[in-house]
């Protein structure tokens, strides 16, 4: 099977660890919906097995998984057109991850910046799962022969590692069985920054709630966070180059461009010369306009947990139907004996 023979299939995942924010929306969810609307086959996963690489209160995980499912749907993902499911319901992810634990090298994992960031100074105390995290990620994608992976900038290194794992498996066994998945990192907001510090990524784990816009924030909260966002005293430049040493200004312009489906150049042509006292209220109006329908829909969906659980179970069944034969073939390539007729 040559690489050209792989049919395009989009896979991506988000951790259900609470505080779904504007970075997740612009860097991932909005783009997931765009891929779906282009008519490619799309699978999107709530990666609960990844979430538990750091401690999660069981009740919080359960709630966050359902809330994330509601966030997917409210952002435009249609459970009939995309396969939406949570990772732990499809055992093939964990099974292929074990195989990839045996393919990936310790040195590759040690280079992962996310592991270094998350493990912090006390790496000896980090879970083994946190270290092996990228092998499970490779399994998530490759158990479906996923070819394209829409993600934010921070996941690029992990997708490159997935390519290395696929390439090593293919090389070691002399096959062209796994595609080398492409990271798809496009648009103005592949790295949304904190509203309090334009040099730090907007993140669910930032202790300051003012640093991020949560998808569950109401209109008034969104407007207040944008009004209070850190900026410099200069008006906006009229060319994108003028944003180079102005991280906070650049971040707000990128957010505007992504929310409005405009290029940064178009925003500069329209808003260049404006002081923040004019630009911020415009951005706040736009953000409220785009985000409040999502938060209202999420709240509505959260009232019917049984329906969310039904959607996830249906998605898991459809996901398993793709994953099971790929896992079986992987075992077979490796020389594992299967049950007769199995
Ligand atoms: P996670 O849950 O941290 O983030 C989910 C998605 O949101 C993007 N993102 C951002 N994009 C722009 N600006 C930001 N500030 C920002 N913060 C987060 C992330 O890049 C990501 O696309 N390891 C992954 C989940 C995962 C996965 C996968 C992704 C597990 N298996 C397989 C793709 C394919 C993660 O922790 O994302």
């Amino acid at each position: 099977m040559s690489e050209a023979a792989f049919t395009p299939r989009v896979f991506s995942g988000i951790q259900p660890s609470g505080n779904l924010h504007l970075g997740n929306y612009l860097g991932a969810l909005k783009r997931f919906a765009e891929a779906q609307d282009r008519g490619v086959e799309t699978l999107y996963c709530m990666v609960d097995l990844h979430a538990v690489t750091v401690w999660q209160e069981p009740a919080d995980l359960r709630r966050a998984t359902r809330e994330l499912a509601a966030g997917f749907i409210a952002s435009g993902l249609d459970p009939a057109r995309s396969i939406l499911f949570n990772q732990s319901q499809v055992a093939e992810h964990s099974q292929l991850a074990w195989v990839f634990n045996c393919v990936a090298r310790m040195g590759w994992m040690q280079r992962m910046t996310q592991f270094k960031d998350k493990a912090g100074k006390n790496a000896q105390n980090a879970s083994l799962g946190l270290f092996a995290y990228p092998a499970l990620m490779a399994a998530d994608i490759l158990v479906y022969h996923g070819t394209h992976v829409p993600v934010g900038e921070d996941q690029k290194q992990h997708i490159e590692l997935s390519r290395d794992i696929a390439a090593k498996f293919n090389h070691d066994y002399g096959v062209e069985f796994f595609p080398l998945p492409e990271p798809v990192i496009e648009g103005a907001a592949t790295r949304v920054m904190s509203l309090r510090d334009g040099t730090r990524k907007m993140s669910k784990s930032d202790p300051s709630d003012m640093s991020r816009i949560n998808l569950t924030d109401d209109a008034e909260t969104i407007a207040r966070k944008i009004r209070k966002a850190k900026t410099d005293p200069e008006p906006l430049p009229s060319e994108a180059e003028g944003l180079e040493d102005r991280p906070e200004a650049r971040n707000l312009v990128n957010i505007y461009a992504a929310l409005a489906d405009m290029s940064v150049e178009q925003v500069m042509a329209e808003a260049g010369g404006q002081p923040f006292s004019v630009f911020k209220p415009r951005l706040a109006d736009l953000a409220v306009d785009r985000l409040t329908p999502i938060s209202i829909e999420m709240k509505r969906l959260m009232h019917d947990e049984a329906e969310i659980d039904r959607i996830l179970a249906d998605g898991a069944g459809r996901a398993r139907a793709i994953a099971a034969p790929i896992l079986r073939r992987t075992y077979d390539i490796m020389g594992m004996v299967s049950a007769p007729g199995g």
Side-chain angles (χ1 to χ4, degrees):
M1 196 192 277
S2 80
E3 227 191 295
F6 292 109
T7 0
R9 184 176 278 157
V10 171
F11 179 93
S12 199
I14 298 188
Q15 294 192 60
S17 39
N19 288 343
L20 203 54
H21 56 73
L22 183 65
N24 300 132
Y25 176 65
L26 294 176
L29 286 167
K30 181 167 185 285
R31 297 173 48 238
F32 294 179
E34 287 160 6
Q36 166 194 272
D37 296 343
R38 280 197 296 275
V40 210
E41 191 178 1
T42 42
L43 292 104
Y44 298 120
C45 184
M46 284 119 250
V47 291
D48 47 8
L49 296 171
H50 277 113
V52 298
T53 56
V54 298
W55 173 251
Q56 305 292 331
E57 283 297 336
D60 294 347
L61 179 64
R62 213 168 277 128
R63 183 184 163 76
T65 303
R66 293 180 176 131
E67 192 170 88
L68 179 55
F72 272 67
I73 298 166
S75 302
L77 292 173
D78 170 359
R81 285 189 290 155
S82 289
I83 299 182
L84 305 182
F85 66 107
N86 61 312
Q87 197 181 24
S88 59
Q89 285 197 45
V90 183
E92 284 79 0
H93 289 242
S94 310
Q95 292 172 292
L96 187 62
W98 179 260
V99 170
F100 288 168
N101 282 343
C102 301
V103 173
R105 306 288 94 182
M106 296 283 283
W108 298 1
M109 300 311 211
Q110 265 152 1
R111 282 195 289 278
M112 293 296 111
T113 52
Q114 186 169 305
F115 174 73
K116 290 189 229 171
D117 290 348
K118 282 203 177 175
K121 288 196 185 69
N122 196 0
Q124 290 302 312
N125 204 32
S127 73
L128 189 54
L130 190 65
F131 190 64
Y133 183 114
L136 176 59
M137 228 176 118
D140 295 340
I141 303 165
L142 293 167
V143 83
Y144 303 103
H145 278 183
T147 56
H148 294 84
V149 189
V151 280
E153 180 66 43
D154 61 346
Q155 295 300 315
K156 187 165 185 233
Q157 196 186 31
H158 285 158
I159 313 298
E160 282 164 359
L161 188 90
S162 302
R163 292 171 67 86
D164 292 343
I165 291 177
K168 182 160 160 51
F169 182 96
N170 289 346
H171 175 266
D172 290 353
Y173 292 100
V175 290
E176 280 195 57
F177 182 62
F178 288 116
L180 306 190
E182 295 278 348
V184 185
I185 304 172
E186 285 167 357
T190 55
R191 192 173 172 81
V192 177
M193 308 309 277
S194 154
L195 298 180
R196 307 304 304 161
D197 177 353
T199 64
R200 291 165 65 94
K201 195 180 67 168
M202 184 177 285
S203 150
K204 61 184 107 192
S205 53
D206 194 313
S208 164
D209 196 58
M210 292 300 283
S211 70
R212 69 181 157 262
I213 293 173
N214 303 301
L215 285 196
T216 45
D217 285 344
D218 60 21
E220 208 237 307
T221 311
I222 296 173
R224 180 163 42 86
K225 286 179 176 176
I226 292 179
R227 221 168 35 240
K228 300 220 159 165
K230 185 177 165 202
T231 43
D232 57 44
E234 301 299 318
L236 284 175
S238 37
E239 312 238 323
E241 293 82 70
L243 293 169
E244 248 153 51
D245 298 319
R246 300 176 60 188
E248 282 85 14
R250 188 177 56 205
N251 188 36
L252 295 187
V253 168
N254 285 347
I255 292 173
Y256 190 101
L259 284 171
D261 288 314
M262 289 164 78
S263 68
V264 169
E265 288 70 26
Q266 284 170 321
V267 178
M268 298 324 312
E270 209 182 278
Q274 283 178 6
F276 283 104
S277 57
V278 174
F279 184 68
K280 276 183 169 177
R282 286 187 56 189
L283 175 59
D285 285 349
L286 175 65
V288 166
D289 186 57
R290 296 297 149 93
L291 301 178
T292 44
I294 298 176
S295 80
I296 291 169
E297 180 64 0
M298 276 175 78
K299 280 196 195 96
R300 193 188 67 77
L301 291 163
M302 284 296 281
H303 281 133
D304 193 351
E305 288 187 351
E307 173 62 6
I308 292 181
D309 293 0
R310 197 199 56 74
I311 289 170
L312 293 180
D314 174 70
R318 285 149 67 204
R320 224 176 289 123
I322 304 173
I326 293 179
L327 180 73
R328 264 202 305 276
R329 178 76 190 121
T330 308
Y331 282 171
D332 183 47
I333 289 169
M334 297 171 77
M336 300 196 178
V337 176
S338 56

